[in-house]
Amino acid sequence: MSEVHTGKLSSIERVELTRVVMSILDSWGMTAQQQVDLLNLPPKTPTRALRRYREDTPFPQTNEVDERLEHIVGIVDALRTTYPHNPSMGALWMKQRNKQFQDRSPLKVMVDDGIDGIMRIRAHLDCAYDWFNDSRSASDD
């Protein structure tokens, strides 16, 4: 999985991305409500809608959802690079408490802190992403 620009995907590619992301969230052991919160789906999204996302329905195409999908893909890529010989270690790392995050798990940071938490986890795992964003904010000053 490489950098994904969700706005440029065909409907078939968007369905496939949705399936892959749902599989990732399932492998991380997230509850249905955590998945809804992490993806910034409407709060009353029923569990059956999540089931459809695993099958043939793409996520809603909103800027908020698309931004989160791009970061999740970036996190997965960084975990794959960090643990190249044992993919299950990435899911384990996501669930374990970490002193870097005030003794919270990366999943808890992402769910509790929303897009800021998601970006924080990505920056922690992906030094290229972190460097790029630091250099952009320095040029904004």
Side-chain angles (χ1 to χ4, degrees), residues 100-124:
Q100 294 272 349
F101 311 121
Q102 294 77 42
D103 211 30
R104 297 184 296 165
S105 71
L107 283 177
K108 184 149 180 57
V109 171
M110 294 189 328
V111 171
D112 290 352
D113 300 349
I115 191 64
D116 291 337
I118 294 167
M119 291 171 62
R120 184 170 176 212
I121 298 305
R122 185 173 182 190
H124 177 81

Side-chain angles (χ1 to χ4, degrees), residues 27-28 76-94:
S27 77
W28 288 349
V76 170
D77 279 344
L79 287 169
R80 190 181 351 258
T81 301
T82 303
Y83 302 106
H85 302 293
N86 190 350
S88 63
M89 285 300 297
L92 182 63
W93 184 86
M94 292 295 291

Side-chain angles (χ1 to χ4, degrees), residues 120-134:
R120 184 170 176 212
I121 298 305
R122 185 173 182 190
H124 177 81
L125 288 167
D126 185 348
C127 60
Y129 170 78
D130 190 35
W131 177 84
F132 178 74
N133 282 311
D134 276 351

